[in-house]
Amino acid sequence: MDGLSIALLIAVPVLGLIALLFALKAFWRRQIMRNIPTSKCRGVFIGMTELKGTAEIANALTSYLQGCRCVYYRYSVEEHWRRVVQESYTDSKGNRRTRTKVESGWSQVDAGGESAPFFLQDDTGAVRIQPDGAKVEASEVFSQRSTRGDGLYYSKGPATSISDSTHERRFTEWAIPLHQPIYVIGQAREREDAVAAEIAKDAHQALFLISVRKEEQISGGLFQQQCILGILSGVLFCLYPLAIDHARPSQTVATLPIISSIAAAWLMVWVVAWSILTINALVDIKQRAAHAFTLIDIQLKRRHDLIGNLVNAVSALAQHERGLQEALVLLRHELTATPPGATGPDPVAIASQIRAIKEDYPTLTANQAFLQLTTTLSDTEQRIALARNYYNDVVEVHNTRIQVIPDSILARLLSMKPRVLFEANGFEREAVSVSFTAAS
């Protein structure tokens, strides 16, 4: 048995297994994307999140080659080489011979890039994105070939050349330009510097993607990858008997029955793996729907507890400031009603009382408090609406998956039933009535 035969016996099943694993990985990532509905920036909660919007940053980066304003860029410089080599081979008669062969290719001679935290913005707000650790799919913004006579060759490339160089370089750059529509899916967490969410790398979540492609394009690409690699793995496993025939040509092997058995075993492995991953995906969407409902309850409880106390505080402040304003008016009236030198209240004493009140209450903030109350009311209602919409989106995904073949077959085994869309009911789900008690 020669070295080539041994290599075939090892390589064919190993490559088949690798192709199968990558096909299942693409299948699982597509399942995750199917389970996560698109959120609005203002409605981002802790957990896996999918967002669509534009890339924004206060201090934009400048890309190295194109010089465009962006939030992320990377570049590559490759140099072309060509060489003549002597190659040994065995001819059809088993004789060792040599031949001259010309080899050529490209070698990377320089690369780099830069990224910074930026914001994804939509019509409801913005969420900070920490790109470190993410798979970034950027747009190609620069692609050019250059020779030593061009200024680009040395100005943006290294000063030295590689061996066997043809002195031709290829410059390529990818970037996410400012205001570029992007798609992001990743783990949302609470920011350390503000009461807000951000999306960043999470060690427990394998999927963190920032892409200039649309969701449909990404999902379609994963589906193609899943199908191509899945078929390739099956073909490689079925070719294994042929590799055995090549390794042991003197032995007679019933190739067709073995191929049929391997194909049946591969199909069984694929069905089992598909079933396990689909069951996990169904359990994930079930838990996601339950979690989404708790987010609504959290926001409703927040409204119930917060708004009532805030209204009482603002009402008390308004009554206090109303009494304070009346006292100041009376004091000012007494101060101006008695001319200096005439019989009446002492102006100096009254003026000192006004200064004392002013020092104790330097600003009257009822107007700002009412404005803050209005803002809080609006923000709270919008949070509830976004949480409700997010829950309903998750429920729609949940109900669709458990009713569509073949997922419905496994859903029945898990006793999964359609969930009802959210409808407000109960005391804490009623809008809080805001009214102020007039000062007596």
Side-chain angles (χ1 to χ4, degrees):
M1 188 182 297
D2 58 16
L4 178 60
S5 300
I6 296 175
L8 283 174
L9 287 176
I10 297 174
V12 170
V14 170
L15 291 176
L17 181 60
I18 293 175
L20 179 61
L21 291 177
F22 275 95
L24 294 175
K25 182 179 180 180
F27 174 77
W28 176 244
R29 290 193 169 190
R30 188 165 175 266
Q31 294 295 310
I32 295 177
M33 291 182 62
R34 288 180 62 190
N35 282 354
I36 302 176
T38 304
S39 299
K40 291 293 187 179
C41 287
R42 198 174 183 87
V44 169
F45 300 100
I46 306 304
M48 281 296 291
T49 303
E50 177 183 283
L51 293 173
K52 298 173 184 177
T54 59
E56 309 293 342
I57 191 172
N59 299 315
L61 306 176
T62 301
S63 66
Y64 180 68
L65 297 178
Q66 180 65 24
C68 67
R69 302 179 69 233
C70 58
V71 301
Y72 165 93
Y73 73 90
R74 58 185 172 88
Y75 67 91
S76 172
V77 181
E78 298 170 296
E79 192 165 338
H80 189 258
W81 54 267
R82 183 184 292 110
R83 59 175 173 260
V84 179
V85 297
Q86 296 293 324
E87 181 183 54
S88 298
Y89 71 101
T90 304
D91 62 15
S92 59
K93 296 181 180 180
N95 299 320
R96 298 292 294 177
R97 297 182 178 274
T98 60
R99 60 188 174 190
T100 301
K101 182 180 178 181
V102 178
E103 295 180 342
S104 64
W106 294 87
S107 294
Q108 188 177 79
V109 293
D110 191 18
E114 189 177 2
S115 64
F118 64 93
F119 288 87
L120 183 148
Q121 182 174 326
D122 63 13
D123 56 344
T124 66
V127 172
R128 188 167 72 177
I129 310 296
Q130 295 280 5
D132 294 339
K135 178 183 178 182
V136 180
E137 297 179 345
S139 301
E140 184 179 289
V141 296
F142 189 89
S143 179
Q144 184 175 325
R145 292 190 180 188
S146 174
T147 60
R148 285 191 297 181
D150 301 328
L152 180 65
Y153 190 88
Y154 286 120
S155 64
K156 296 295 185 178
T160 58
S161 297
I162 61 175
S163 60
D164 303 312
S165 173
T166 62
H167 304 294
E168 181 182 6
R169 287 176 176 172
R170 182 168 59 190
F171 297 81
T172 312
E173 186 171 64
W174 301 265
I176 300 179
L178 201 61
H179 315 311
Q180 168 77 42
I182 59 173
Y183 168 88
V184 175
I185 182 169
Q187 183 75 8
R189 68 185 185 188
E190 187 174 351
R191 288 173 55 175
E192 297 180 356
D193 60 338
V195 183
E198 67 177 4
I199 299 180
K201 176 67 177 178
D202 189 294
H204 302 290
Q205 295 290 345
L207 185 56
F208 181 22
L209 175 66
I210 302 172
S211 178
V212 297
R213 294 192 295 162
K214 296 181 179 180
E215 179 183 5
E216 296 77 13
Q217 295 174 319
I218 299 171
S219 179
L222 289 174
F223 180 73
Q224 292 179 1
Q225 181 181 346
Q226 164 197 329
C227 293
I228 293 173
L229 291 176
I231 294 173
L232 177 61
S233 68
V235 171
L236 287 172
F237 280 120
C238 291
L239 287 177
Y240 191 62
L242 300 179
I244 296 176
D245 285 346
H246 184 275
R248 299 177 178 178
S250 61
Q251 299 182 7
T252 304
V253 180
T255 306
L256 185 59
I258 294 178
I259 291 178
S260 300
S261 299
I262 291 177
W266 174 86
L267 184 61
M268 183 176 296
V269 169
W270 180 263
V271 170
V272 171
W274 171 86
S275 300
I276 292 174
L277 293 179
T278 303
I279 288 174
N280 289 339
L282 291 173
V283 172
D284 175 74
I285 191 62
K286 181 179 179 180
Q287 297 298 328
R288 197 174 298 279
H291 175 68
F293 187 80
T294 63
L295 295 177
I296 300 176
D297 266 343
I298 290 173
Q299 295 302 321
L300 291 169
K301 186 65 176 177
R302 174 181 179 273
R303 180 181 69 177
H304 181 262
D305 294 341
L306 173 65
I307 301 302
N309 294 332
L310 186 57
V311 167
N312 292 335
V314 174
S315 179
L317 178 61
Q319 294 182 43
H320 162 74
E321 292 190 356
R322 177 178 177 181
L324 181 60
Q325 292 283 8
E326 291 176 349
L328 288 172
V329 168
L330 290 175
L331 287 173
R332 288 194 181 98
H333 176 72
E334 291 183 357
L335 178 60
T336 57
T338 305
T343 304
D346 182 4
V348 176
I350 294 177
S352 64
Q353 294 180 43
I354 295 177
R355 284 194 299 270
I357 293 175
K358 184 176 181 181
E359 290 173 0
D360 291 339
Y361 307 97
T363 58
L364 303 179
T365 59
N367 290 337
Q368 289 79 0
F370 281 114
L371 180 61
Q372 181 63 37
L373 174 60
T374 303
T375 302
T376 303
L377 284 171
S378 176
D379 179 71
T380 300
E381 294 305 315
Q382 187 172 19
R383 284 173 175 267
I384 293 172
L386 291 170
R388 182 181 65 246
N389 291 340
Y390 177 75
Y391 170 77
N392 287 342
D393 289 341
V394 174
V395 167
E396 287 182 2
V397 174
H398 174 278
N399 293 345
T400 299
R401 293 208 60 171
I402 67 174
Q403 294 177 26
V404 174
I405 297 175
D407 292 357
S408 60
I409 300 173
L410 298 177
R412 291 192 184 96
L413 297 178
L414 297 174
S415 301
M416 295 178 65
K417 298 180 180 179
R419 297 179 70 101
V420 179
L421 297 177
F422 176 81
E423 294 180 2
N425 55 67
F427 172 73
E428 291 189 1
R429 291 182 170 84
E430 295 177 357
V432 176
S433 177
V434 179
S435 60
F436 299 99
T437 304
S440 57

